[in-house]
Amino acid sequence: MIRVLLVDDQELVRSGLRRILRQRDGFTIAGECGDGAEVPAALAAAEADVVVMDLRMKHVDGIEATRRLRETGPRPPVLALTTFDDDELLAGVLRAGAVGYVLKDSPAEDLIRAVRAVAAGDAWLDVAVTARVLTTFRHSAGQPEPRPGALTPEQLEVLRAVGRGGTDAEIATSLGIPEAAVKTRFARLLKELGLRDRAAAVVYAFDHGIVTAARTPAVVPAPAPRPSVAQLRFSVLGPLRAWRGTAALDLGPVRQQALLAALLLRPDVVVTDTGLLDDVWGLEPPGTGTGVLPTYVLRLRACLRAAKETSKESVIRRGRAGYLFASNGVWTDLTRLRELDREAKAAADTGDLTTAAERCADAIGLFQGEPLAGLPGPFAEGERLRLREYRLSLAQRKADSQLRLGRYASAAEELSTELAAHPHREPIAALLMRALYARGLRTDALAVYQRIHDRLRHDFAVEPGAELNRTRTAVLEGDDRSLGFA
């Protein structure tokens, strides 16, 4: 879990942030403040990994609060959040020590990605205003900095990737070098240039033209190994992303992405115009009705056109009553997920439990947060629910294989994490009880039953189901055979 401290003088804004930074997506709200003056006490009361800081507050504003935090020694990184597209304001918070900023009118997906990036030790600058803000930052810096010519080609390569928003792990994948080598090169270039931290390096990269402020996604590791130059690939098991070879593509606004997802996840099937409208806009269709679709499709085709070198025909095609996505030659992480799932089931059927557990783990590893994160519309929400269930079923099958292999400790640890995220999930609770019992922790196993029993009664006024009750009885009686350990 990423622990977040929210600092904003408007309760309505904090409420909205709580709805975006949800526990099921890996966040927990460590505390809230209505003014910058309250931040030190809040951090003393609860640990936080990231401070999301409003800039304009009545008493102590975000710039002053950030400066005070930085002066008191190691503190959680600050991500500035503001309604105002004010160059001096944003340059000021960078000078105060913030590691980045997000505008409040940004998509929810951007806020989620920004908090995750900052928690991982990276910087996040909203590309919509970065060029102007860094110009302001440069003019007010007060002293010249070393030119990038002082860097080696390897250091310059790392600086360029850092400036585009890449994490150490992503840069290592992109450059084909160990992550430790990225850290070493980055530390040396910070020293060479006299820069304070990663945020200052991002500023420097933009300021010296090493990275420009074009609206392109942050550096993200391409999901398939050794892709062909022209191959078009998509990731849906997290924020929707696309690549041509190793180059990330900008898919445009979230509503446009939602339309793409509604076609991409039903490959080679014509989806009617009215169906697409319902999928993406639901009960609040645009005033132009289906007339909006050709504009969105035209833009998507422009985003993806370069991805097929051998054909001028777009992957998004017009049918008699709608549109379809032509999947020939297109790779998706969902396709890979299904391949790994089939391999896991085949291995389990032949009794190869080690391979079954490994394939389930590989499949789970494809998930990069909430599927289709931030995309609006009934279709995207329905797919999120389906893919969450898919991931949970994989976690349950992996745990079952681990238990049958005698890997009780690792199974218990992973199941505890899953149950914390899905506290009403009875099959997970039953598996965790079995794992704890196998480790000789009968009392802990029964405590798991009691917690889910109380939660089900409190939240839904229902009793645990037959499977969980049978597991409880077997634990009480020490019935190894019923628990699968005989």
Side-chain angles (χ1 to χ4, degrees), residues 417-431:
T417 300
E418 294 292 347
L419 190 60
H422 308 278
H424 304 107
R425 184 68 55 163
E426 294 184 50
I428 293 177
L431 287 167

Side-chain angles (χ1 to χ4, degrees), residues 25-306:
D25 296 328
F27 301 99
T28 183
I29 304 304
E32 298 184 26
C33 301
D35 190 80
E38 302 170 11
V39 173
L43 290 176
E47 293 185 2
D49 301 306
V50 178
V51 178
V52 176
M53 181 88 75
D54 185 28
L55 291 188
R56 296 202 175 183
M57 294 177 283
K58 293 180 180 178
H59 301 294
V60 175
D61 64 24
I63 294 177
E64 177 62 18
T66 300
R67 185 186 62 77
R68 292 180 184 180
L69 280 182
R70 300 277 71 81
E71 288 179 349
T72 57
R75 288 289 190 172
V78 173
L79 176 69
L81 183 66
T82 181
T83 308
F84 304 96
D85 180 358
D86 184 319
D87 300 352
E88 182 58 42
L89 194 68
L90 296 174
V93 79
L94 290 177
R95 288 193 296 269
V99 297
Y101 53 81
V102 172
L103 302 181
K104 287 183 180 177
D105 61 357
S106 299
E109 176 194 346
D110 280 0
L111 176 63
I112 291 171
R113 293 174 62 198
V115 174
R116 286 179 176 153
V118 169
D122 302 317
W124 183 277
L125 305 182
D126 191 306
V127 295
V129 294
T130 290
R132 300 195 324 270
V133 171
L134 297 185
T135 297
T136 303
F137 185 96
R138 179 184 66 235
H139 290 330
S140 60
Q143 59 182 19
E145 294 174 321
R147 301 297 298 174
L151 300 177
T152 66
E154 292 79 11
Q155 291 171 338
L156 191 61
E157 194 174 40
V158 169
L159 179 58
R160 182 175 294 109
V162 168
R164 290 172 178 162
T167 65
D168 288 343
E170 291 168 350
I171 295 168
T173 301
S174 175
L175 300 182
I177 60 176
E179 188 173 345
V182 174
K183 294 180 183 294
T184 300
R185 292 182 189 179
F186 183 61
R188 288 176 179 169
L189 75 86
L190 285 181
K191 183 177 180 181
E192 186 76 29
L193 298 175
L195 300 177
R196 179 187 62 208
D197 53 22
R198 201 177 193 96
V202 174
V203 171
Y204 184 93
F206 275 91
D207 194 37
H208 290 83
I210 297 168
V211 176
T212 60
R215 290 198 66 86
T216 55
V219 172
V220 180
R226 301 183 184 278
S228 65
V229 173
Q231 186 182 24
L232 180 61
R233 292 164 302 127
F234 293 90
S235 172
V236 300
L237 302 176
L240 178 61
R241 295 179 178 132
W243 295 263
R244 174 170 50 86
T246 57
L249 304 178
D250 184 354
L251 298 176
V254 290
R255 190 77 68 177
Q256 182 171 299
Q257 294 182 36
L259 177 62
L260 173 61
L263 295 169
L264 174 66
L265 293 177
R266 289 177 288 199
D268 305 309
V269 173
V270 175
V271 184
T272 65
D273 292 348
T274 54
L276 283 172
L277 207 65
D278 291 341
D279 287 342
V280 179
W281 281 270
L283 298 177
E284 299 180 351
T288 56
T290 57
V292 74
L293 297 177
T295 300
Y296 275 61
V297 169
L298 182 65
R299 292 173 181 170
L300 283 170
R301 284 172 173 168
C303 295
L304 304 174
R305 184 176 297 124

Side-chain angles (χ1 to χ4, degrees), residues 1 6 72 151 157 220 222 250 265 345 373 375 383 458-459 469:
M1 286 289 178
L6 301 178
T72 57
L151 300 177
E157 194 174 40
V220 180
D250 184 354
L265 293 177
K345 289 176 179 176
L375 294 196
E383 288 300 298
H458 179 271
D459 294 348
N469 282 316

Side-chain angles (χ1 to χ4, degrees), residues 318-348:
R318 180 68 186 173
R320 290 185 60 187
Y323 294 92
L324 91 163
F325 188 96
S327 66
N328 184 36
V330 175
W331 184 96
T332 70
D333 56 356
L334 184 56
T335 302
R336 180 57 179 154
L337 179 75
R338 290 168 176 157
E339 290 173 354
L340 290 168
D341 186 16
R342 288 193 294 270
E343 292 173 14
K345 289 176 179 176

